PDB file of all heavy atoms in Angstrom:
ATOM      1  N   PRO A 224     177.509 -36.051 -18.464  1.00 95.00           N
ATOM      2  CA  PRO A 224     176.824 -37.181 -19.050  1.00 95.00           C
ATOM      3  C   PRO A 224     177.064 -37.085 -20.600  1.00 95.00           C
ATOM      4  O   PRO A 224     177.301 -38.215 -21.216  1.00 95.00           O
ATOM      5  CB  PRO A 224     175.391 -36.905 -18.804  1.00 95.00           C
ATOM      6  CG  PRO A 224     175.204 -36.043 -17.671  1.00 95.00           C
ATOM      7  CD  PRO A 224     176.324 -35.153 -17.660  1.00 95.00           C
ATOM      8  N   LEU A 225     177.166 -35.903 -21.136  1.00 94.00           N
ATOM      9  CA  LEU A 225     177.547 -35.835 -22.635  1.00 94.00           C
ATOM     10  C   LEU A 225     178.820 -36.418 -22.819  1.00 94.00           C
ATOM     11  O   LEU A 225     179.059 -37.050 -23.778  1.00 94.00           O
ATOM     12  CB  LEU A 225     177.423 -34.391 -23.165  1.00 94.00           C
ATOM     13  CG  LEU A 225     176.159 -33.808 -23.357  1.00 94.00           C
ATOM     14  CD1 LEU A 225     176.146 -32.314 -23.823  1.00 94.00           C
ATOM     15  CD2 LEU A 225     175.161 -34.629 -24.363  1.00 94.00           C
ATOM     16  N   ILE A 226     179.832 -35.939 -21.999  1.00 96.00           N
ATOM     17  CA  ILE A 226     181.218 -36.549 -22.166  1.00 96.00           C
ATOM     18  C   ILE A 226     181.325 -38.022 -22.075  1.00 96.00           C
ATOM     19  O   ILE A 226     181.847 -38.610 -22.908  1.00 96.00           O
ATOM     20  CB  ILE A 226     182.192 -35.904 -21.131  1.00 96.00           C
ATOM     21  CG1 ILE A 226     182.344 -34.344 -21.328  1.00 96.00           C
ATOM     22  CG2 ILE A 226     183.550 -36.576 -21.112  1.00 96.00           C
ATOM     23  CD1 ILE A 226     183.159 -33.594 -20.385  1.00 96.00           C
ATOM     24  N   GLU A 227     180.526 -38.560 -21.170  1.00 96.00           N
ATOM     25  CA  GLU A 227     180.566 -40.045 -20.903  1.00 96.00           C
ATOM     26  C   GLU A 227     179.987 -40.723 -22.229  1.00 96.00           C
ATOM     27  O   GLU A 227     180.354 -41.609 -22.699  1.00 96.00           O
ATOM     28  CB  GLU A 227     179.755 -40.448 -19.632  1.00 96.00           C
ATOM     29  CG  GLU A 227     180.689 -40.182 -18.345  1.00 96.00           C
ATOM     30  CD  GLU A 227     180.027 -40.191 -17.134  1.00 96.00           C
ATOM     31  OE1 GLU A 227     178.852 -40.722 -16.963  1.00 96.00           O
ATOM     32  OE2 GLU A 227     180.621 -39.424 -16.053  1.00 96.00           O
ATOM     33  N   SER A 228     178.800 -40.105 -22.633  1.00 94.00           N
ATOM     34  CA  SER A 228     178.134 -40.780 -23.785  1.00 94.00           C
ATOM     35  C   SER A 228     179.076 -40.711 -25.052  1.00 94.00           C
ATOM     36  O   SER A 228     179.202 -41.709 -25.823  1.00 94.00           O
ATOM     37  CB  SER A 228     176.848 -40.079 -24.234  1.00 94.00           C
ATOM     38  OG  SER A 228     175.980 -40.001 -23.059  1.00 94.00           O
ATOM     39  N   LEU A 229     179.800 -39.549 -25.180  1.00 95.00           N
ATOM     40  CA  LEU A 229     180.644 -39.434 -26.291  1.00 95.00           C
ATOM     41  C   LEU A 229     181.739 -40.340 -26.309  1.00 95.00           C
ATOM     42  O   LEU A 229     182.285 -40.986 -27.186  1.00 95.00           O
ATOM     43  CB  LEU A 229     181.220 -37.973 -26.396  1.00 95.00           C
ATOM     44  CG  LEU A 229     180.259 -36.894 -27.087  1.00 95.00           C
ATOM     45  CD1 LEU A 229     180.856 -35.570 -27.009  1.00 95.00           C
ATOM     46  CD2 LEU A 229     180.014 -37.363 -28.554  1.00 95.00           C
ATOM     47  N   ASN A 230     182.399 -40.623 -25.101  1.00 95.00           N
ATOM     48  CA  ASN A 230     183.412 -41.531 -24.908  1.00 95.00           C
ATOM     49  C   ASN A 230     183.122 -42.823 -25.141  1.00 95.00           C
ATOM     50  O   ASN A 230     183.813 -43.696 -25.892  1.00 95.00           O
ATOM     51  CB  ASN A 230     184.136 -41.327 -23.459  1.00 95.00           C
ATOM     52  CG  ASN A 230     185.125 -40.279 -23.374  1.00 95.00           C
ATOM     53  OD1 ASN A 230     185.906 -40.235 -24.331  1.00 95.00           O
ATOM     54  ND2 ASN A 230     185.175 -39.670 -22.172  1.00 95.00           N
ATOM     55  N   ALA A 231     181.847 -43.149 -24.770  1.00 94.00           N
ATOM     56  CA  ALA A 231     181.193 -44.475 -25.107  1.00 94.00           C
ATOM     57  C   ALA A 231     181.055 -44.729 -26.612  1.00 94.00           C
ATOM     58  O   ALA A 231     181.381 -45.747 -27.178  1.00 94.00           O
ATOM     59  CB  ALA A 231     180.025 -44.741 -24.267  1.00 94.00           C
ATOM     60  N   TRP A 232     180.623 -43.668 -27.220  1.00 93.00           N
ATOM     61  CA  TRP A 232     180.359 -43.663 -28.703  1.00 93.00           C
ATOM     62  C   TRP A 232     181.625 -43.974 -29.447  1.00 93.00           C
ATOM     63  O   TRP A 232     181.767 -44.818 -30.257  1.00 93.00           O
ATOM     64  CB  TRP A 232     179.732 -42.413 -29.160  1.00 93.00           C
ATOM     65  CG  TRP A 232     179.495 -42.366 -30.647  1.00 93.00           C
ATOM     66  CD1 TRP A 232     178.221 -42.856 -31.281  1.00 93.00           C
ATOM     67  CD2 TRP A 232     180.251 -41.873 -31.603  1.00 93.00           C
ATOM     68  NE1 TRP A 232     178.541 -42.657 -32.538  1.00 93.00           N
ATOM     69  CE2 TRP A 232     179.590 -42.047 -32.866  1.00 93.00           C
ATOM     70  CE3 TRP A 232     181.566 -41.233 -31.691  1.00 93.00           C
ATOM     71  CZ2 TRP A 232     180.045 -41.576 -34.067  1.00 93.00           C
ATOM     72  CZ3 TRP A 232     182.115 -40.879 -32.891  1.00 93.00           C
ATOM     73  CH2 TRP A 232     181.429 -41.060 -34.094  1.00 93.00           C
ATOM     74  N   VAL A 233     182.821 -43.293 -28.914  1.00 94.00           N
ATOM     75  CA  VAL A 233     184.074 -43.332 -29.619  1.00 94.00           C
ATOM     76  C   VAL A 233     184.553 -44.857 -29.431  1.00 94.00           C
ATOM     77  O   VAL A 233     185.150 -45.486 -30.295  1.00 94.00           O
ATOM     78  CB  VAL A 233     185.102 -42.340 -29.023  1.00 94.00           C
ATOM     79  CG1 VAL A 233     186.532 -42.565 -29.585  1.00 94.00           C
ATOM     80  CG2 VAL A 233     184.714 -40.939 -29.312  1.00 94.00           C
ATOM     81  N   ASP A 234     184.468 -45.344 -28.201  1.00 95.00           N
ATOM     82  CA  ASP A 234     184.835 -46.718 -27.960  1.00 95.00           C
ATOM     83  C   ASP A 234     184.186 -47.720 -28.821  1.00 95.00           C
ATOM     84  O   ASP A 234     184.809 -48.639 -29.312  1.00 95.00           O
ATOM     85  CB  ASP A 234     184.701 -47.006 -26.316  1.00 95.00           C
ATOM     86  CG  ASP A 234     185.742 -46.275 -25.547  1.00 95.00           C
ATOM     87  OD1 ASP A 234     186.511 -45.804 -25.992  1.00 95.00           O
ATOM     88  OD2 ASP A 234     185.403 -46.339 -24.374  1.00 95.00           O
TER      89      ASP A 234
END
Side-chain angles (χ1 to χ4, degrees):
L225 284 180
I226 291 174
E227 280 161 24
S228 306
L229 278 175
N230 273 321
W232 182 86
V233 174
D234 288 348

